[in-house]
Amino acid sequence: MLSEGKKETENEEAEVPLLQVVFDISGTIFLSMVLLLLFMAFFVRQVTVDGSSMNNTLKNEDRLLVQCSSYTPKCGDVVVVTHGEQLDEAIIKRVIAVGGQCIDIDFSTGEVSVDGVLLREPYITGPTRSVINSFSFPLDVPEGYVFVMGDNRGNSLDSRSERIGLIPVENIIGKAFFRWYPFDAVGTVK
């Protein structure tokens, strides 16, 4: 009988560590999820491309990671922006000019210049054309604003239109830096 009591005690001791292990793993998973959510809320966001305005750089339904904190816009960056009452949803575009720069678009040739320097734009799908209610160019971009355009210039509602216009820097959600889906196109966003 003494040996049966000893076996029961050993079984109880074996169950306690198993429950403790399950509890520890659950706690670790929960903490990891909370940290991941905090990281995603303040530093990196995931966005889905909606539309064709950034073809061929980005396609409809591409999934991107966007750097949200400590970002200063630079020409050539692909950014996600909102624009208060003008836009119901965020859009993704390329920064063409920042505050203090002068942008000029020659709609007859489709060429874009910033501060008198012709841009080399291998990422665009066609020449830059005028859009309905377009600004007059050349245009000085005031400090605190950026001028953005889609890479698919023939199918992009962007800063060329007075409807979108110049984007206040505080309306930039962040810079798209990595495409994680579709899996055959995984890589950095340029």
Side-chain angles (χ1 to χ4, degrees):
M1 264 210 191
L2 187 59
S3 63
E4 283 181 25
K6 187 176 182 181
K7 285 183 183 177
E8 286 179 22
T9 305
E10 287 176 3
N11 286 341
E12 288 175 8
E13 289 175 2
E15 289 178 20
V16 172
L18 179 60
L19 289 174
Q20 186 64 43
V21 168
V22 170
F23 181 74
D24 289 346
I25 290 172
S26 299
T28 301
I29 290 171
F30 178 75
L31 181 60
S32 298
M33 296 289 284
V34 168
L35 291 174
L36 179 63
L37 289 173
L38 286 172
F39 181 75
M40 295 294 280
F42 294 106
F43 300 105
V44 175
R45 291 188 186 175
Q46 191 271 164
V47 299
T48 301
V49 175
D50 182 18
S52 61
S53 72
M54 286 298 291
N55 284 358
N56 288 331
T57 304
L58 301 171
K59 306 272 197 256
N60 189 44
E61 299 296 318
D62 281 359
R63 307 283 196 292
L64 311 173
L65 295 179
V66 176
Q67 173 191 345
C68 299
S69 67
S70 303
Y71 170 68
T72 302
K74 295 180 195 74
C75 294
D77 288 349
V78 175
V79 295
V80 177
V81 301
T82 63
H83 203 341
E85 59 277 349
Q86 277 87 351
L87 299 173
D88 293 333
E89 297 181 12
I91 58 173
I92 187 161
K93 303 292 178 192
R94 187 177 299 274
V95 175
I96 304 301
V98 298
Q101 293 185 311
C102 179
I103 182 166
D104 195 10
I105 302 175
D106 183 340
F107 291 119
S108 63
T109 63
E111 296 177 328
V112 178
S113 299
V114 175
D115 292 336
V117 178
L118 184 64
L119 295 183
R120 253 189 82 250
E121 298 183 291
Y123 43 78
I124 64 173
T125 58
T128 304
R129 300 290 180 221
S130 180
V131 295
I132 296 172
N133 297 321
S134 182
F135 282 106
S136 296
F137 293 92
L139 175 69
D140 290 320
V141 179
E143 291 297 332
Y145 288 85
V146 295
F147 186 97
V148 298
M149 285 195 283
D151 291 354
N152 184 0
R153 302 284 165 81
N155 188 30
S156 177
L157 183 60
D158 50 41
S159 289
R160 290 173 289 170
S161 166
E162 290 179 349
R163 179 169 173 228
I164 302 297
L166 300 172
I167 305 292
V169 170
E170 62 266 12
N171 288 8
I172 298 174
I173 293 172
K175 175 187 175 186
F177 69 93
F178 190 78
R179 176 183 15 224
W180 65 269
Y181 182 85
F183 299 123
D184 63 344
V186 168
T188 57
V189 175
K190 297 180 184 179

